[in-house]
Amino acid sequence: MRIGLLTGGGDCPGLNAAIRAVVRVAQDSGDQVLGFRHGWRGVVEGESTPLTTQQTKGILQSGGTILRTARYHPYEHEGATEAVRATFERERLDCFVVLGGDGTLGAAALLAETGVRIVGIPKTIDNDVLGTERCIGFATAVATAAEAVDRVHTTGESHDRLMVVEVMGRSTGWLAVFSGIAAGADAICIPEQTTSLDSLSAAFRSRHEAGSTSSVVVVAEGAAIAGAEDDAGGTKGAIVARGLERRTGFEVRLTILGHVQRGGEPTALDRLLATAFGVAAIDAVHDGCTATLLAAIGEETVRVPLGKVRPGRRPVPPSMLALAKRMSVPREVPQALGCRAP
Ligand code: F6P
């Protein structure tokens, strides 16, 4: 069989581990893998290279993607979907294996409806692809962000400061919640639930009146923040930092982690997940699957319809929100204690 392989959207640790597994298992079965550079754009422009086990040796541990990637959606470019189909036929491909987040896989789902055979693998540090419980890259990003929050904790304590750390997550708070709990953040602000700057400030004043001298807040880059009218402008982390400083009078510092969270070597768990997905992708191709998403459900890798990714993003489940809440500053307490309104 001839299999086209691509990585699209934002990169993440673990992509190379998946590429390695796909190529190795495919070659062992007598298949050929054609790697397309720069995601769907490379498919449209015919930017491809044959991949062999020899070429993909030693990449299990490396960050990024040897295939490169791009934020390119074929449905947003005239003639691009026809070009995808033309490449599929010209290269005599039997199937595409597509590693992507909701954008890349959303395009894959639409293309699959038009008859292009596609098996999808979910990857994004945001962990918010619908249909799967885990995406490649998330475990590593959580570890990276948690370590950064740990470091911010110690300098915050030394200076008696309120430290704000902004992590990635435009639409969901997976990374904020997981890294925040793991690193003992005192509050976590996410897109799924609105945080009021007034009540957060009151909670921190109350916490500091009770003896704490420093605190840490983790803010997702797409966090829903209320009461920020006077503080408009800048990133969500900046809005929270400014809002808390004005309302509490504490010294506040902001750290934006940015692309540090997407870089570097994958953790062992991400390597494992990526390897399982890569092997399962070739099995799915051999079984004649199409419009199929590989999903991690518990310890299993299962096949679900690729169309499942399309309605949007998977929010953080209530159980994790409840855990985060129980480990955060009690925002309802200040009023009960009769604290002065900020
Ligand atoms: O795709 C995941 C993500 O990491 C988001 O959390 C973040 O908003 C975005 O990528 C940043 O993308 P870019 O690297 O294109 O600026």
Side-chain angles (χ1 to χ4, degrees):
M1 289 185 133
R2 281 176 61 79
I3 298 161
L5 178 64
L6 58 130
T7 53
D11 76 336
C12 67
L15 290 174
N16 285 333
I19 292 170
R20 169 182 173 271
V22 165
V23 172
R24 177 180 292 213
V25 177
Q27 191 168 311
D28 286 352
S29 316
D31 301 329
Q32 293 170 317
V33 179
L34 194 60
F36 288 90
R37 292 193 206 283
H38 301 116
W40 286 120
R41 193 179 82 205
V43 177
V44 168
E45 295 175 359
E47 202 190 345
S48 65
T49 178
L51 290 174
T52 63
T53 301
Q54 187 61 30
Q55 285 167 323
T56 54
K57 270 205 165 98
I59 64 170
L60 174 65
Q61 298 90 342
S62 63
T65 162
I66 61 164
L67 284 175
R68 310 288 184 266
T69 186
R71 290 205 184 275
Y72 179 97
H73 199 296
Y75 283 85
E76 291 168 4
H77 299 267
E78 211 181 315
T81 56
E82 292 78 6
V84 169
R85 277 192 291 277
T87 299
F88 191 77
E89 278 159 31
R90 189 180 60 251
E91 297 292 351
R92 294 173 288 105
L93 296 175
D94 294 287
C95 194
F96 279 119
V97 172
V98 178
L99 285 123
D102 71 309
T104 303
L105 293 176
L110 291 173
L111 284 161
E113 280 173 18
T114 72
V116 182
R117 264 193 76 197
I118 300 181
V119 170
I121 297 178
K123 64 88 220 167
T124 165
I125 66 162
D126 295 344
N127 200 47
D128 56 3
V129 173
L130 283 165
T132 183
E133 290 176 359
R134 281 289 171 273
C135 299
I136 297 172
F138 177 59
T140 307
V142 169
T144 303
E147 190 199 337
V149 177
D150 283 345
R151 291 174 187 275
V152 164
H153 256 296
T154 64
T155 174
E157 276 162 16
S158 305
H159 289 266
D160 299 334
R161 283 173 174 161
L162 206 165
M163 306 298 281
V164 177
V165 183
E166 183 182 296
V167 301
M168 281 188 171
R170 275 172 298 182
S171 312
T172 56
W174 285 93
L175 195 47
V177 167
F178 277 57
S179 64
I181 294 172
D186 302 298
I188 302 169
C189 306
I190 56 172
E192 288 92 332
Q193 286 183 341
T194 301
T195 300
S196 149
L197 281 178
D198 286 341
S199 43
L200 189 61
S201 302
F204 276 123
R205 286 196 352 225
S206 168
R207 174 178 147 81
H208 286 222
E209 276 162 19
S212 297
T213 54
S214 74
S215 299
V216 174
V217 189
V218 171
V219 180
E221 65 181 330
I225 308 295
E229 298 80 43
D230 301 344
D231 310 298
T235 66
K236 291 297 167 72
I239 289 168
V240 171
R242 214 164 40 238
L244 290 178
E245 192 161 49
R246 282 188 191 158
R247 286 166 174 82
T248 62
F250 299 153
E251 198 176 3
V252 179
R253 289 290 185 273
L254 167 66
T255 304
I256 299 178
L257 294 187
H259 291 79
V260 164
Q261 297 158 98
R262 287 227 310 252
E265 295 179 358
T267 59
L269 285 182
D270 262 332
R271 295 177 203 180
L272 202 68
L273 182 67
T275 301
F277 275 148
V279 172
I282 296 304
D283 288 347
V285 172
H286 289 166
D287 288 347
C289 297
T290 185
T292 300
L293 175 74
L294 297 171
I297 307 293
E299 298 304 318
E300 306 298 323
T301 304
V302 302
R303 298 167 185 173
V304 299
L306 188 52
K308 275 205 169 197
V309 306
R310 290 215 51 238
R313 311 272 173 97
R314 194 168 77 98
V316 180
S319 57
M320 289 307 296
L321 298 182
L323 182 60
K325 192 165 183 231
R326 293 187 69 182
M327 298 306 290
S328 297
V329 284
R331 293 172 205 182
E332 61 276 12
V333 169
Q335 279 75 22
L337 290 179
C339 283
R340 226 165 18 95

